[in-house]
Amino acid sequence: MKKKVMPVIIIIALILIIGLIYGAQIAIEKFSYSKTQADLSEYYGISSEQDVAIIYNDSVLEDKAVKKDGVYYLDYNLAKSVQGNKFYYGEADQTLFYTTPSATYTTKIGESSWTSTNGESGDAGYTISYVDGEKLYIALGYLKAFTDLDYQVFASPDRIRLYAGSYEQTLAKVKKKTAVRVLGGIKSDVVSYVEGGMAVVTNQMDEWSEIITWDAHKGYVENKYLDFMGTGEVTKAAIEAENPEGLAESPIETAAGSLPAPADLKDYTTVRLDGKVNIGFHPIAGAAGNATIDGAIAPTKSLNVLAPTWFTISDNEGTVVSYATRDYVSTAHANGMQVWGVLDNFNSGNQIDTVAILSHEASRANVIAQLIAYAQEYEIDGINADLEQINESCGPDYLQFMRELSVACRQNGLVFSIDDYVPMDFNDHYDLVEQGEIADYVVIMGYDEHYGGSDEAGSVASIGYVQGGIEKALTMVPAEKLVNAIPFYTRVWTTSGGEVSSKALHMDGATNIINQYGMEMNWDEETCQYYGEVTDSNGALIQLWNEESRSIEVKLSVMQAAGIAGVAEWALGFENAEVWDVIAAYMAQ
């Protein structure tokens, strides 16, 4: 009997042992940490030998840097998104530009040398920029010379830790060697192993946290291995100070030739008048128009700047036609007024290509040289730039011209102001943020809410339109630089047979229309203007939203409440005398 029992016991024991082994294997499988290495090329989206992953702030970017001949490059558009749009790619000249408050630095695409308008020059020792297909790439070392951009580079795989200034984030120190994983969980694949050093915590959870390690890997670590330090400033210096040395690579940029070292990147000096500015735009319409200065300024009160429409670009080489006279300037100065000559691109009578002019360095320089020469010849106090109908594709060219003109004005002691449409999403390529840095004054033309081509009748400048324009502009331009221009005109609207047309009227012309039709005018609280309408003998609807002293006074009260730099008027000679009293009262506040 015993002989029969023993085999059974042995079989049961074996079953138990096998079960224990299997259970142990399951337990080990369940509770052990995976050591499987993640495919880092796939993880970082690297698809070629030249691709370099970018870790910027809290993110691994979809965009990749490029490593070429040992030099690291960023796509031009990515560089602009990280550092703003101060770099300008002059595609027509195949040149990369950067303009500081005092000089413009240039380098030809595909070359290693650079020059500056202040006489400096040098050679980087490597290609500074190059074009591949439709993309322009700029060496990180060259970008760094002009910006607060900084970076570290690491291998296996190639990746860059990119810093643009600093930002605030939760920081932690890694207590001991541990795995950084693709996802939170012990079974997730391993990105890397990190031993000590500071990490940026991008997502803190109960048991795991997503971090960026000091050596630029992103992934998940168990919280028990992290010593959380609270919120701190993330900079290259702060990270380097807390981490092991010697593992970051030294990019070729640090050991090559010379790079620009501008010392005045943020030193935009600003010229301002004492107190508020009051700019009267004076349409000259040719040299003979200068003789109208006495009549134009006779009714004015508190006017301290005259802006005559003197300069117009007349051809694609950048030739400037001038109507300036010394007598005009002398008269203005004798009456305590400065003169800011207006430059435009629409009054020459010639068909010019503004894109062609602004996209070429030579034609931009030609315009600027002539303006400065005229300013010196006639002892003008400032330049006012009124370039209109700039399309979006021309936006970068326009801004570069404004930068270069601002440098010339700054170097020659001229007040520099720029005229702009009321800011809207569709015209944001005028870039009021940039203008607010480079210009002394930014003038918002607070009118043409409804204009000659409008398909519906309406106010030229309702109070909502004016206030909204000022409020949006103030998000981009400092209040002490912002000027709002008010209209000394309105439009009479005719609707007949479903067709809408209008005619611009000076203030006295509007009064004549009101009297002609016996139009009853009532104050409209929505627009803060007197509104009237009448049906004429032909059955057409005649409408008018009038601009006069009361409507102007409401606009000025909004401007006063906003604390902006002052007022401008379009245009002298269009007004009636009463408006100057309310303008003078605003200027005295």
Side-chain angles (χ1 to χ4, degrees):
M1 187 68 181
K2 289 182 178 179
K3 291 182 178 180
K4 293 183 178 180
V5 171
M6 286 301 294
V8 174
I9 294 172
I10 292 170
I11 291 170
I12 293 171
L14 288 172
I15 291 171
L16 289 173
I17 291 169
I18 292 169
L20 289 171
I21 293 172
Y22 181 70
Q25 288 176 334
I26 292 174
I28 290 169
E29 180 68 22
K30 181 177 180 180
F31 296 108
S32 65
Y33 288 70
S34 171
K35 295 181 181 180
T36 303
Q37 178 66 49
D39 182 334
L40 295 186
S41 292
E42 181 180 345
Y43 181 66
Y44 286 114
I46 294 172
S47 59
S48 75
E49 290 184 357
Q50 286 192 330
D51 279 356
V52 180
I54 302 172
I55 293 84
Y56 171 59
N57 286 353
D58 293 346
S59 302
V60 177
L61 301 186
E62 289 187 14
D63 298 276
K64 301 293 178 286
V66 171
K67 186 179 181 181
K68 184 178 180 182
D69 299 326
V71 181
Y72 293 85
Y73 295 87
L74 279 192
D75 170 34
Y76 170 63
N77 290 320
L78 174 60
K80 289 199 299 181
S81 70
V82 171
Q83 273 296 306
N85 65 350
K86 287 187 178 295
F87 277 97
Y88 164 64
Y89 174 28
E91 192 168 359
D93 296 314
Q94 282 298 287
T95 301
L96 182 66
F97 296 80
Y98 192 99
T99 299
T100 74
S102 62
T104 294
Y105 292 79
T106 59
T107 176
K108 288 289 185 181
I109 306 302
E111 296 185 2
S112 61
S113 60
W114 56 270
T115 61
S116 170
T117 54
N118 64 13
E120 297 177 7
S121 62
D123 194 290
Y126 53 84
T127 300
I128 292 173
S129 61
Y130 71 94
V131 172
D132 184 5
E134 296 183 352
K135 289 187 175 183
L136 170 68
Y137 292 91
I138 309 173
L140 268 168
Y142 194 77
L143 289 168
K144 181 180 175 181
F146 296 99
T147 67
D148 58 2
L149 196 69
D150 210 342
Y151 57 99
Q152 297 166 296
V153 296
F154 299 89
S156 302
D158 285 330
R159 59 197 186 281
I160 293 172
R161 181 87 178 260
L162 191 64
Y163 304 87
S166 65
Y167 69 102
E168 296 288 320
Q169 185 55 281
T170 301
L171 301 176
K173 285 188 177 180
V174 180
K175 296 177 182 179
K176 57 183 292 187
K177 184 176 181 180
T178 186
V180 180
R181 299 182 181 277
V182 173
L183 297 170
I186 63 176
K187 296 304 180 184
S188 181
D189 290 350
V190 175
V191 176
S192 71
Y193 289 92
V194 63
E195 186 170 1
M198 183 184 291
V200 176
V201 181
T202 57
N203 184 16
Q204 185 175 351
M205 299 175 292
D206 290 339
E207 296 182 5
W208 293 77
S209 288
E210 184 184 46
I211 68 169
I212 299 174
T213 66
W214 68 270
D215 59 345
H217 278 299
K218 186 171 185 178
Y220 289 82
V221 168
E222 286 182 280
N223 289 343
K224 64 184 180 182
Y225 294 113
L226 297 175
D227 182 9
F228 292 97
M229 303 165 60
T231 301
E233 188 176 35
V234 180
T235 64
K236 179 184 175 185
I239 297 298
E240 285 185 329
E242 296 290 338
N243 293 301
E245 297 180 357
L247 293 182
E249 295 189 343
S250 295
I252 195 172
E253 288 91 331
T254 62
S258 64
L259 289 170
D264 65 339
L265 290 170
K266 302 292 185 181
D267 296 339
Y268 286 98
T269 56
T270 300
V271 180
R272 293 197 189 95
L273 276 63
D274 292 334
K276 292 174 183 170
V277 63
N278 184 355
I279 309 166
F281 287 103
H282 187 192
I284 295 300
N290 288 297
T292 65
I293 182 173
D294 290 325
I297 66 176
T300 66
K301 297 177 181 179
S302 73
L303 192 68
N304 52 25
V305 176
L306 276 171
T309 56
W310 268 349
F311 308 121
T312 187
I313 303 172
S314 63
D315 62 32
N316 293 345
E317 285 68 49
T319 302
V320 175
V321 173
S322 169
Y323 303 124
T325 68
R326 189 175 295 277
D327 287 345
Y328 187 103
V329 176
S330 297
T331 299
H333 287 173
N335 285 273
M337 301 174 187
Q338 291 193 5
V339 177
W340 300 354
V342 179
L343 170 73
D344 68 58
N345 61 334
F346 48 82
N347 272 327
S348 71
N350 298 334
Q351 282 293 112
I352 65 169
D353 185 345
T354 299
V355 175
I357 296 164
L358 299 185
S359 63
H360 288 85
E361 182 181 14
S363 47
R364 294 195 307 269
N366 191 25
V367 172
I368 292 168
Q370 292 170 85
L371 287 176
I372 298 304
Y374 287 134
Q376 293 172 339
E377 180 180 358
Y378 296 108
E379 298 182 350
I380 297 168
D381 305 286
I383 298 295
N384 172 265
D386 184 16
L387 303 191
E388 300 187 14
Q389 297 186 2
I390 303 297
N391 60 44
E392 186 174 2
S393 65
C394 188
D397 310 311
Y398 167 84
L399 284 174
Q400 183 59 23
F401 173 72
M402 292 302 172
R403 293 187 192 103
E404 293 167 355
L405 180 54
S406 80
V407 172
C409 288
R410 193 172 295 110
Q411 292 175 338
N412 289 275
L414 300 172
V415 183
F416 178 48
S417 58
I418 306 175
D419 300 336
D420 289 278
Y421 302 115
V422 170
M424 302 285 182
D425 290 343
F426 63 81
N427 60 28
D428 59 9
H429 55 279
Y430 280 80
D431 197 341
L432 294 190
V433 173
E434 183 78 354
Q435 290 189 30
E437 280 195 341
I438 66 176
D440 297 308
Y441 292 100
V442 176
V443 182
I444 300 300
M445 299 181 289
Y447 36 78
D448 282 350
E449 177 182 5
H450 295 84
Y451 51 94
S454 293
D455 55 7
E456 65 177 9
S459 168
V460 166
S462 70
I463 194 60
Y465 182 75
V466 172
Q467 185 167 12
I470 292 171
E471 289 175 352
K472 186 167 185 180
L474 283 173
T475 66
M476 297 175 277
V477 180
E480 63 270 19
K481 288 189 174 187
L482 186 65
V483 177
N484 184 67
I486 57 177
F488 281 170
Y489 70 95
T490 188
R491 286 187 172 274
V492 59
W493 298 86
T494 302
T495 303
S496 179
E499 297 292 325
V500 178
S501 62
S502 69
K503 179 181 178 181
L505 300 172
H506 300 174
M507 288 185 170
D508 287 343
T511 300
N512 292 338
I513 289 291
I514 292 167
N515 293 336
Q516 174 186 338
Y517 287 101
M519 192 178 290
E520 181 180 347
M521 304 298 292
N522 296 297
W523 183 256
D524 175 30
E525 288 292 345
E526 183 176 353
T527 60
C528 286
Q529 293 167 314
Y530 284 104
Y531 170 76
E533 64 177 57
V534 67
T535 301
D536 70 8
S537 57
N538 296 317
L541 176 64
I542 311 299
Q543 296 172 281
L544 192 148
W545 287 260
N546 200 22
E547 287 290 356
E548 40 66 64
S549 58
R550 184 178 176 184
S551 67
I552 295 296
E553 186 174 25
V554 177
K555 292 177 176 61
L556 294 169
S557 67
V558 167
M559 293 158 59
Q560 177 66 22
I564 63 175
V567 63
E569 300 92 13
W570 180 263
L572 298 183
F574 295 5
E575 79 279 17
N576 57 37
E578 290 80 9
V579 299
W580 288 111
D581 290 326
V582 296
I583 293 173
Y586 161 75
M587 290 293 292
Q589 290 178 302

